[in-house]
Amino acid sequence: MYRRGLACDEFAVGAGMDNRSIAVVTGSLGLVGSAAVRRFDALGLDVVGIDNDGRRMFFGDESSTAPQLALLQTELPRYRHLKLDIRDDQPIDDLFRELGGRIAVVLHAAAQPSHDWAARAPRIDFAINATATLSLLESVRAHAPEALFLYMSSNKVYGDGPNQLPLRAAETRFVLPAEHPFAVHGIDETMPIDQCRHSLFGVSKTAADLMVQEYSSRFGLDTMVFRAGCITGPEHRAVPDHGFLAYLCERVAAGLPYTVVGYGGRQVRDNLHVDDLADAFAFAVSAPRVSGVYNIGGGPKATVSVSEALDLAGRLTESVPIVELVDEPRYGDHMWWVSDFRRFQAAYPAWRPSHGTDDLIAALVDAQLARLAK
Ligand SMILES: NC(=O)c1ccc[n+]([C@@H]2O[C@H](COP(=O)([O-])OP(=O)(O)OC[C@H]3O[C@@H](n4cnc5c(N)ncnc54)[C@H](O)[C@@H]3O)[C@@H](O)[C@H]2O)c1
């Protein structure tokens, strides 16, 4: 039986799920997974997290998720952690067999998250991001077919298709003409996903995204696919390959050079606080019968270009950012991405991003300054 949410009174776990009390979170020690663990725990769910500290393998000792594990185990006495690799089918399947019909929701957020890393090790990237997603879906289908399956996809499924939009280079950012259908609310789910450059990471995420949809249409699983833009938050431990805004703020706050790769820093991103994403998951759990694909992000009120972010971070730290410029853009890099999240909002009208660009960057800079002061 579910207890009602502790931290968010407005959420209650969905009707018809009374006998199911478990949330399984893959990638539970990452940025998204750890926020979801806390939100699901606050909803009264018993959270089982799976994470093998893959970040340490991808990005080195500094990126180890061990501190996050210690935090979760201190904060949440009910949290159960399993150091499993999602590529290891048998132990994963054994876990789903054990938990079975008691599982209310699975959030799949484990991934190799970097384009550059994927290009260095395509087989490993595909095995983690795509093949392991298929195995996970099989285990859910076999042992927990009633569970809601939430998949953290990516706006990279759209490849560099958005670069075909009629963008104009203004001084600090690319802009879309006001009359364009995506100009006001951002890019919606009608954006085509093929016939463009994806990066190897984009392809492995797209394969998983499509497979999750297929398990819904072919086998009737309740699945929600979140095609996220940039997600961040003060706890974000970014690296050059992943987490641009947090990494930029870290570099500026520390007085270290930041390398702008391509487009003179005019590329535009919308940014979403990870707690808002966790709220989206909580809304999904509260009304879990809405299978579909959703663009999710900070939307039009939370956009910034790389160049503007550098300027803002510099003003907040009262410093002049040290900038190195590389002319050649990253392969498949979006010149302009703003998430139109109205499809998700139509399903959950109370959901909205709570942070604009300025306060998000201020929070990231403050977090970094606090770390440096220690
Ligand atoms: N952060 C963003 O801006 C963003 C944007 C769009 C999509 N996403 C997607 O959201 C998901 C979560 O992203 P994140 O930012 O939290 O990344 P993250 O790197 O912080 O978290 C991923 C977690 O998965 C774990 N992991 C990796 N390989 C594993 C394996 N084989 N077995 C078990 N655990 C493994 C890592 O140790 C890490 O803790 C990913 O699928 C990512 O592609 C993130």
Side-chain angles (χ1 to χ4, degrees):
M1 185 70 187
Y2 288 122
R3 295 164 286 275
R4 286 188 70 90
L6 302 177
C8 346
D9 290 344
E10 69 264 46
F11 299 127
V13 174
M17 299 174 77
D18 288 354
N19 298 321
R20 289 181 275 135
S21 59
I22 294 173
V24 177
V25 177
T26 73
S28 57
L29 303 181
L31 174 74
V32 172
S34 60
V37 167
R38 291 184 171 90
R39 187 63 92 254
F40 289 148
D41 181 89
L43 271 176
L45 292 163
D46 296 316
V47 186
V48 178
I50 298 169
D51 199 301
N52 70 342
D53 200 10
R55 271 190 83 83
R56 186 176 180 199
M57 182 205 16
F58 308 138
F59 307 123
D61 290 351
E62 291 252 306
S63 296
S64 170
T65 53
Q68 185 61 261
L69 176 58
L71 275 177
L72 288 180
Q73 287 179 327
T74 308
E75 287 171 29
L76 311 177
R78 293 184 297 134
Y79 174 66
R80 174 182 170 197
H81 187 76
L82 296 167
K83 189 171 183 180
L84 288 178
D85 187 324
I86 55 166
R87 287 171 293 176
D88 292 341
D89 300 350
Q90 196 56 56
I92 294 285
D93 197 65
D94 290 345
L95 176 69
F96 278 86
R97 182 180 296 109
E98 176 203 326
L99 303 176
R102 289 178 292 147
I103 302 174
V105 56
V106 178
L107 170 68
H108 179 29
Q112 186 300 109
S114 151
H115 299 264
D116 296 340
W117 203 95
R120 292 193 291 273
R123 285 174 195 271
I124 302 179
D125 173 76
F126 200 84
I128 295 173
N129 288 358
T131 312
T133 300
L134 171 60
S135 300
L136 202 58
L137 286 163
E138 271 297 283
S139 293
V140 172
R141 180 163 85 100
H143 306 299
E146 301 295 319
L148 174 66
F149 190 93
L150 308 177
Y151 174 58
M152 271 308 292
S153 182
S154 165
N155 62 6
K156 299 300 180 209
V157 304
Y158 300 111
D160 68 355
N163 293 357
Q164 304 308 315
L165 296 171
L167 298 165
R168 179 175 64 78
E171 190 184 343
T172 62
R173 61 161 62 198
F174 289 113
V175 291
L176 199 52
E179 62 276 13
H180 192 279
F182 292 156
V184 175
H185 298 291
I187 298 172
D188 67 23
E189 298 82 359
T190 61
M191 170 64 72
I193 66 167
D194 68 344
Q195 312 221 32
C196 54
R197 292 174 166 205
H198 282 82
S199 85
L200 289 153
F201 163 83
V203 171
S204 64
K205 294 296 289 184
T206 305
D209 176 306
L210 294 176
M211 196 59 86
V212 173
Q213 292 183 58
E214 199 60 29
Y215 268 65
S216 173
S217 56
R218 180 71 180 83
F219 298 124
L221 295 190
D222 282 326
T223 67
M224 294 177 75
V225 172
F226 292 91
R227 292 180 172 167
C230 292
I231 310 298
T232 193
E235 300 305 317
H236 201 173
R237 307 314 305 270
V239 292
D241 285 3
H242 176 230
F244 106 90
L245 193 57
Y247 184 69
L248 179 151
C249 291
E250 276 180 38
R251 299 292 288 183
V252 174
L256 294 169
Y258 178 81
T259 305
V260 173
V261 184
Y263 302 123
R266 289 187 181 84
Q267 52 276 64
V268 172
R269 303 281 183 269
D270 65 332
N271 298 279
L272 181 69
H273 195 294
V274 69
D275 288 346
D276 292 334
L277 182 61
D279 279 351
F281 300 149
F283 275 111
V285 172
S286 73
R289 297 284 165 188
V290 193
S291 283
V293 172
Y294 301 93
N295 287 353
I296 195 113
K301 292 185 180 155
T303 70
V304 73
S305 72
V306 173
S307 161
E308 292 161 355
L310 280 164
D311 185 54
L312 190 52
R315 277 188 276 134
L316 288 165
T317 53
E318 297 177 354
S319 68
V320 178
I322 306 164
V323 177
E324 293 167 354
L325 282 172
V326 172
D327 287 339
E328 180 71 20
R330 281 201 168 88
Y331 184 93
D333 198 16
H334 286 160
M335 294 162 69
W336 192 90
W337 178 270
V338 179
S339 312
D340 180 347
F341 51 72
R342 287 178 300 160
R343 178 182 282 186
F344 184 78
Q345 217 172 35
Y348 302 100
W351 182 84
R352 60 183 45 78
S354 62
H355 290 66
T357 303
D358 289 12
D359 59 323
L360 203 45
I361 293 184
L364 294 173
V365 166
D366 285 352
Q368 182 58 15
L369 291 173
R371 275 185 214 116
L372 291 169
K374 279 188 186 158

PDB file of all heavy atoms in Angstrom, residues 35-57:
ATOM      1  N   ALA A  35      17.990  12.170  -8.284  1.00  0.00           N
ATOM      2  CA  ALA A  35      16.854  13.069  -7.997  1.00  0.00           C
ATOM      3  C   ALA A  35      15.557  12.266  -7.987  1.00  0.00           C
ATOM      4  O   ALA A  35      14.674  12.497  -7.146  1.00  0.00           O
ATOM      5  CB  ALA A  35      16.790  14.177  -9.041  1.00  0.00           C
ATOM      6  N   ALA A  36      15.455  11.301  -8.899  1.00  0.00           N
ATOM      7  CA  ALA A  36      14.251  10.472  -8.956  1.00  0.00           C
ATOM      8  C   ALA A  36      14.143   9.581  -7.719  1.00  0.00           C
ATOM      9  O   ALA A  36      13.054   9.380  -7.173  1.00  0.00           O
ATOM     10  CB  ALA A  36      14.268   9.622 -10.219  1.00  0.00           C
ATOM     11  N   VAL A  37      15.290   9.048  -7.274  1.00  0.00           N
ATOM     12  CA  VAL A  37      15.273   8.207  -6.067  1.00  0.00           C
ATOM     13  C   VAL A  37      14.670   9.006  -4.902  1.00  0.00           C
ATOM     14  O   VAL A  37      13.778   8.523  -4.189  1.00  0.00           O
ATOM     15  CB  VAL A  37      16.707   7.754  -5.690  1.00  0.00           C
ATOM     16  CG1 VAL A  37      16.739   7.162  -4.278  1.00  0.00           C
ATOM     17  CG2 VAL A  37      17.229   6.735  -6.705  1.00  0.00           C
ATOM     18  N   ARG A  38      15.140  10.229  -4.743  1.00  0.00           N
ATOM     19  CA  ARG A  38      14.635  11.052  -3.627  1.00  0.00           C
ATOM     20  C   ARG A  38      13.143  11.338  -3.789  1.00  0.00           C
ATOM     21  O   ARG A  38      12.386  11.298  -2.835  1.00  0.00           O
ATOM     22  CB  ARG A  38      15.435  12.356  -3.542  1.00  0.00           C
ATOM     23  CG  ARG A  38      16.872  12.135  -3.105  1.00  0.00           C
ATOM     24  CD  ARG A  38      17.628  13.453  -2.930  1.00  0.00           C
ATOM     25  NE  ARG A  38      18.928  13.213  -2.318  1.00  0.00           N
ATOM     26  CZ  ARG A  38      20.052  12.962  -3.015  1.00  0.00           C
ATOM     27  NH1 ARG A  38      20.035  12.941  -4.326  1.00  0.00           N
ATOM     28  NH2 ARG A  38      21.195  12.728  -2.374  1.00  0.00           N
ATOM     29  N   ARG A  39      12.719  11.640  -5.030  1.00  0.00           N
ATOM     30  CA  ARG A  39      11.303  11.971  -5.241  1.00  0.00           C
ATOM     31  C   ARG A  39      10.428  10.741  -5.015  1.00  0.00           C
ATOM     32  O   ARG A  39       9.379  10.818  -4.386  1.00  0.00           O
ATOM     33  CB  ARG A  39      11.100  12.524  -6.658  1.00  0.00           C
ATOM     34  CG  ARG A  39       9.704  13.055  -6.910  1.00  0.00           C
ATOM     35  CD  ARG A  39       9.329  14.259  -6.009  1.00  0.00           C
ATOM     36  NE  ARG A  39       9.640  15.523  -6.633  1.00  0.00           N
ATOM     37  CZ  ARG A  39      10.662  16.314  -6.285  1.00  0.00           C
ATOM     38  NH1 ARG A  39      11.454  15.971  -5.300  1.00  0.00           N
ATOM     39  NH2 ARG A  39      10.881  17.447  -6.876  1.00  0.00           N
ATOM     40  N   PHE A  40      10.845   9.599  -5.518  1.00  0.00           N
ATOM     41  CA  PHE A  40      10.029   8.391  -5.340  1.00  0.00           C
ATOM     42  C   PHE A  40       9.975   7.999  -3.864  1.00  0.00           C
ATOM     43  O   PHE A  40       8.939   7.565  -3.368  1.00  0.00           O
ATOM     44  CB  PHE A  40      10.587   7.231  -6.181  1.00  0.00           C
ATOM     45  CG  PHE A  40      10.383   7.383  -7.669  1.00  0.00           C
ATOM     46  CD1 PHE A  40      11.308   6.871  -8.561  1.00  0.00           C
ATOM     47  CD2 PHE A  40       9.260   8.020  -8.176  1.00  0.00           C
ATOM     48  CE1 PHE A  40      11.124   6.998  -9.941  1.00  0.00           C
ATOM     49  CE2 PHE A  40       9.062   8.158  -9.550  1.00  0.00           C
ATOM     50  CZ  PHE A  40      10.005   7.646 -10.427  1.00  0.00           C
ATOM     51  N   ASP A  41      11.088   8.161  -3.173  1.00  0.00           N
ATOM     52  CA  ASP A  41      11.086   7.855  -1.740  1.00  0.00           C
ATOM     53  C   ASP A  41      10.099   8.781  -1.024  1.00  0.00           C
ATOM     54  O   ASP A  41       9.323   8.338  -0.165  1.00  0.00           O
ATOM     55  CB  ASP A  41      12.506   8.015  -1.176  1.00  0.00           C
ATOM     56  CG  ASP A  41      12.560   7.684   0.310  1.00  0.00           C
ATOM     57  OD1 ASP A  41      12.769   6.501   0.635  1.00  0.00           O
ATOM     58  OD2 ASP A  41      12.368   8.605   1.138  1.00  0.00           O
ATOM     59  N   ALA A  42      10.117  10.056  -1.414  1.00  0.00           N
ATOM     60  CA  ALA A  42       9.201  11.012  -0.787  1.00  0.00           C
ATOM     61  C   ALA A  42       7.747  10.675  -1.093  1.00  0.00           C
ATOM     62  O   ALA A  42       6.851  10.992  -0.311  1.00  0.00           O
ATOM     63  CB  ALA A  42       9.518  12.429  -1.261  1.00  0.00           C
ATOM     64  N   LEU A  43       7.520  10.036  -2.225  1.00  0.00           N
ATOM     65  CA  LEU A  43       6.156   9.598  -2.574  1.00  0.00           C
ATOM     66  C   LEU A  43       5.723   8.388  -1.750  1.00  0.00           C
ATOM     67  O   LEU A  43       4.590   7.954  -1.841  1.00  0.00           O
ATOM     68  CB  LEU A  43       6.096   9.204  -4.042  1.00  0.00           C
ATOM     69  CG  LEU A  43       5.772  10.273  -5.076  1.00  0.00           C
ATOM     70  CD1 LEU A  43       5.869   9.689  -6.470  1.00  0.00           C
ATOM     71  CD2 LEU A  43       4.386  10.832  -4.850  1.00  0.00           C
ATOM     72  N   GLY A  44       6.655   7.804  -1.003  1.00  0.00           N
ATOM     73  CA  GLY A  44       6.321   6.643  -0.195  1.00  0.00           C
ATOM     74  C   GLY A  44       6.672   5.325  -0.853  1.00  0.00           C
ATOM     75  O   GLY A  44       6.358   4.257  -0.324  1.00  0.00           O
ATOM     76  N   LEU A  45       7.326   5.401  -2.010  1.00  0.00           N
ATOM     77  CA  LEU A  45       7.731   4.158  -2.672  1.00  0.00           C
ATOM     78  C   LEU A  45       9.024   3.624  -2.067  1.00  0.00           C
ATOM     79  O   LEU A  45       9.860   4.394  -1.580  1.00  0.00           O
ATOM     80  CB  LEU A  45       7.936   4.427  -4.163  1.00  0.00           C
ATOM     81  CG  LEU A  45       6.659   4.751  -4.951  1.00  0.00           C
ATOM     82  CD1 LEU A  45       6.983   5.409  -6.281  1.00  0.00           C
ATOM     83  CD2 LEU A  45       5.844   3.495  -5.179  1.00  0.00           C
ATOM     84  N   ASP A  46       9.169   2.321  -2.092  1.00  0.00           N
ATOM     85  CA  ASP A  46      10.432   1.697  -1.676  1.00  0.00           C
ATOM     86  C   ASP A  46      11.330   1.643  -2.907  1.00  0.00           C
ATOM     87  O   ASP A  46      11.004   0.974  -3.890  1.00  0.00           O
ATOM     88  CB  ASP A  46      10.181   0.275  -1.156  1.00  0.00           C
ATOM     89  CG  ASP A  46       9.323   0.299   0.102  1.00  0.00           C
ATOM     90  OD1 ASP A  46       9.584   1.148   0.977  1.00  0.00           O
ATOM     91  OD2 ASP A  46       8.375  -0.500   0.176  1.00  0.00           O
ATOM     92  N   VAL A  47      12.449   2.353  -2.827  1.00  0.00           N
ATOM     93  CA  VAL A  47      13.254   2.504  -4.040  1.00  0.00           C
ATOM     94  C   VAL A  47      14.411   1.507  -4.060  1.00  0.00           C
ATOM     95  O   VAL A  47      15.166   1.391  -3.091  1.00  0.00           O
ATOM     96  CB  VAL A  47      13.809   3.936  -4.167  1.00  0.00           C
ATOM     97  CG1 VAL A  47      14.506   4.102  -5.515  1.00  0.00           C
ATOM     98  CG2 VAL A  47      12.688   4.962  -4.027  1.00  0.00           C
ATOM     99  N   VAL A  48      14.509   0.811  -5.182  1.00  0.00           N
ATOM    100  CA  VAL A  48      15.634  -0.083  -5.434  1.00  0.00           C
ATOM    101  C   VAL A  48      16.445   0.550  -6.557  1.00  0.00           C
ATOM    102  O   VAL A  48      15.930   0.780  -7.653  1.00  0.00           O
ATOM    103  CB  VAL A  48      15.145  -1.482  -5.867  1.00  0.00           C
ATOM    104  CG1 VAL A  48      16.329  -2.389  -6.187  1.00  0.00           C
ATOM    105  CG2 VAL A  48      14.269  -2.096  -4.776  1.00  0.00           C
ATOM    106  N   GLY A  49      17.695   0.878  -6.269  1.00  0.00           N
ATOM    107  CA  GLY A  49      18.537   1.547  -7.257  1.00  0.00           C
ATOM    108  C   GLY A  49      19.583   0.612  -7.826  1.00  0.00           C
ATOM    109  O   GLY A  49      20.137  -0.234  -7.118  1.00  0.00           O
ATOM    110  N   ILE A  50      19.832   0.764  -9.122  1.00  0.00           N
ATOM    111  CA  ILE A  50      20.861  -0.032  -9.810  1.00  0.00           C
ATOM    112  C   ILE A  50      21.866   0.949 -10.405  1.00  0.00           C
ATOM    113  O   ILE A  50      21.485   1.836 -11.182  1.00  0.00           O
ATOM    114  CB  ILE A  50      20.227  -0.850 -10.957  1.00  0.00           C
ATOM    115  CG1 ILE A  50      19.190  -1.841 -10.422  1.00  0.00           C
ATOM    116  CG2 ILE A  50      21.308  -1.567 -11.768  1.00  0.00           C
ATOM    117  CD1 ILE A  50      18.349  -2.485 -11.519  1.00  0.00           C
ATOM    118  N   ASP A  51      23.105   0.799 -10.037  1.00  0.00           N
ATOM    119  CA  ASP A  51      24.145   1.654 -10.634  1.00  0.00           C
ATOM    120  C   ASP A  51      25.494   0.982 -10.371  1.00  0.00           C
ATOM    121  O   ASP A  51      25.791   0.579  -9.242  1.00  0.00           O
ATOM    122  CB  ASP A  51      24.120   3.053  -9.998  1.00  0.00           C
ATOM    123  CG  ASP A  51      24.819   4.098 -10.867  1.00  0.00           C
ATOM    124  OD1 ASP A  51      26.038   3.921 -11.149  1.00  0.00           O
ATOM    125  OD2 ASP A  51      24.174   5.090 -11.244  1.00  0.00           O
ATOM    126  N   ASN A  52      26.298   0.865 -11.407  1.00  0.00           N
ATOM    127  CA  ASN A  52      27.594   0.185 -11.258  1.00  0.00           C
ATOM    128  C   ASN A  52      28.764   1.169 -11.210  1.00  0.00           C
ATOM    129  O   ASN A  52      29.903   0.787 -11.448  1.00  0.00           O
ATOM    130  CB  ASN A  52      27.806  -0.808 -12.409  1.00  0.00           C
ATOM    131  CG  ASN A  52      28.036  -0.081 -13.730  1.00  0.00           C
ATOM    132  OD1 ASN A  52      27.725   1.093 -13.854  1.00  0.00           O
ATOM    133  ND2 ASN A  52      28.565  -0.800 -14.709  1.00  0.00           N
ATOM    134  N   ASP A  53      28.459   2.447 -10.967  1.00  0.00           N
ATOM    135  CA  ASP A  53      29.497   3.486 -10.977  1.00  0.00           C
ATOM    136  C   ASP A  53      30.173   3.571 -12.349  1.00  0.00           C
ATOM    137  O   ASP A  53      31.367   3.829 -12.461  1.00  0.00           O
ATOM    138  CB  ASP A  53      30.544   3.240  -9.880  1.00  0.00           C
ATOM    139  CG  ASP A  53      31.325   4.516  -9.539  1.00  0.00           C
ATOM    140  OD1 ASP A  53      30.929   5.606 -10.016  1.00  0.00           O
ATOM    141  OD2 ASP A  53      32.339   4.418  -8.822  1.00  0.00           O
ATOM    142  N   GLY A  54      29.342   3.362 -13.380  1.00  0.00           N
ATOM    143  CA  GLY A  54      29.875   3.460 -14.742  1.00  0.00           C
ATOM    144  C   GLY A  54      30.543   4.807 -14.994  1.00  0.00           C
ATOM    145  O   GLY A  54      31.500   4.899 -15.773  1.00  0.00           O
ATOM    146  N   ARG A  55      30.059   5.848 -14.351  1.00  0.00           N
ATOM    147  CA  ARG A  55      30.647   7.189 -14.576  1.00  0.00           C
ATOM    148  C   ARG A  55      32.144   7.188 -14.289  1.00  0.00           C
ATOM    149  O   ARG A  55      32.901   7.909 -14.912  1.00  0.00           O
ATOM    150  CB  ARG A  55      29.958   8.233 -13.690  1.00  0.00           C
ATOM    151  CG  ARG A  55      28.760   8.856 -14.340  1.00  0.00           C
ATOM    152  CD  ARG A  55      28.252  10.032 -13.552  1.00  0.00           C
ATOM    153  NE  ARG A  55      28.968  11.263 -13.817  1.00  0.00           N
ATOM    154  CZ  ARG A  55      28.731  12.082 -14.833  1.00  0.00           C
ATOM    155  NH1 ARG A  55      27.791  11.802 -15.700  1.00  0.00           N
ATOM    156  NH2 ARG A  55      29.429  13.193 -14.983  1.00  0.00           N
ATOM    157  N   ARG A  56      32.535   6.391 -13.314  1.00  0.00           N
ATOM    158  CA  ARG A  56      33.965   6.347 -12.996  1.00  0.00           C
ATOM    159  C   ARG A  56      34.749   5.751 -14.172  1.00  0.00           C
ATOM    160  O   ARG A  56      35.832   6.223 -14.502  1.00  0.00           O
ATOM    161  CB  ARG A  56      34.155   5.519 -11.727  1.00  0.00           C
ATOM    162  CG  ARG A  56      35.557   5.530 -11.244  1.00  0.00           C
ATOM    163  CD  ARG A  56      35.628   4.776  -9.954  1.00  0.00           C
ATOM    164  NE  ARG A  56      36.984   4.774  -9.462  1.00  0.00           N
ATOM    165  CZ  ARG A  56      37.432   3.927  -8.573  1.00  0.00           C
ATOM    166  NH1 ARG A  56      36.632   3.019  -8.057  1.00  0.00           N
ATOM    167  NH2 ARG A  56      38.680   3.993  -8.185  1.00  0.00           N
ATOM    168  N   MET A  57      34.154   4.725 -14.782  1.00  0.00           N
ATOM    169  CA  MET A  57      34.827   4.124 -15.933  1.00  0.00           C
ATOM    170  C   MET A  57      34.877   5.116 -17.109  1.00  0.00           C
ATOM    171  O   MET A  57      35.888   5.273 -17.778  1.00  0.00           O
ATOM    172  CB  MET A  57      34.104   2.846 -16.369  1.00  0.00           C
ATOM    173  CG  MET A  57      34.825   2.227 -17.506  1.00  0.00           C
ATOM    174  SD  MET A  57      34.027   1.156 -18.693  1.00  0.00           S
ATOM    175  CE  MET A  57      32.345   1.214 -18.720  1.00  0.00           C
TER     176      MET A  57
END
